Amino acid sequence: MPESELPSPAPSNSEAVLSPCTGVCEIDPRGFCFGCERTGSEIGAWGSIDNGERLRLMLHVLPRRAAFRSEQREAAERANGLRLHRGSF
């Protein structure tokens, strides 16, 4: 079974899921933090949501948001590179 299909270990009831905060706390125009990809509401609720929801966010939602941001950045860089390249002729 590929590693991506393995079930994630669930924390015990006494183990809190750590915060994904990276210390880069700035919300982008879409409403997501540049550092951790959480919304302001998710950041505010982090201390009161249960471990299952924290894990769901950290394992499934936040990585998708980060991948989307990366794809957008790469597309913008390609577009800027093409414009710069075309302008140099």
Side-chain angles (χ1 to χ4, degrees):
M1 175 182 306
E3 186 175 332
S4 62
E5 293 179 10
L6 294 174
S8 58
S12 72
N13 290 338
S14 62
E15 294 179 88
V17 175
L18 297 176
S19 169
C21 181
T22 62
V24 179
C25 303
E26 186 178 336
I27 303 297
D28 71 11
R30 297 180 310 135
F32 300 112
C33 176
F34 280 109
C36 68
E37 300 295 339
R38 292 180 291 172
T39 64
S41 296
E42 290 165 346
I43 292 167
W46 194 259
S48 61
I49 61 175
D50 64 38
N51 281 338
E53 180 63 7
R54 289 178 182 178
L55 277 176
R56 185 187 74 78
L57 285 166
M58 290 184 70
L59 296 176
H60 303 290
V61 176
L62 303 178
R64 279 198 311 264
R65 290 179 189 165
F68 178 79
R69 184 185 301 277
S70 180
E71 290 167 6
Q72 294 294 97
R73 183 175 39 247
E74 290 172 8
E77 288 172 357
R78 282 192 305 272
N80 287 334
L82 288 175
R83 273 181 255 162
L84 291 174
H85 182 70
R86 284 187 202 142
S88 64
F89 286 107

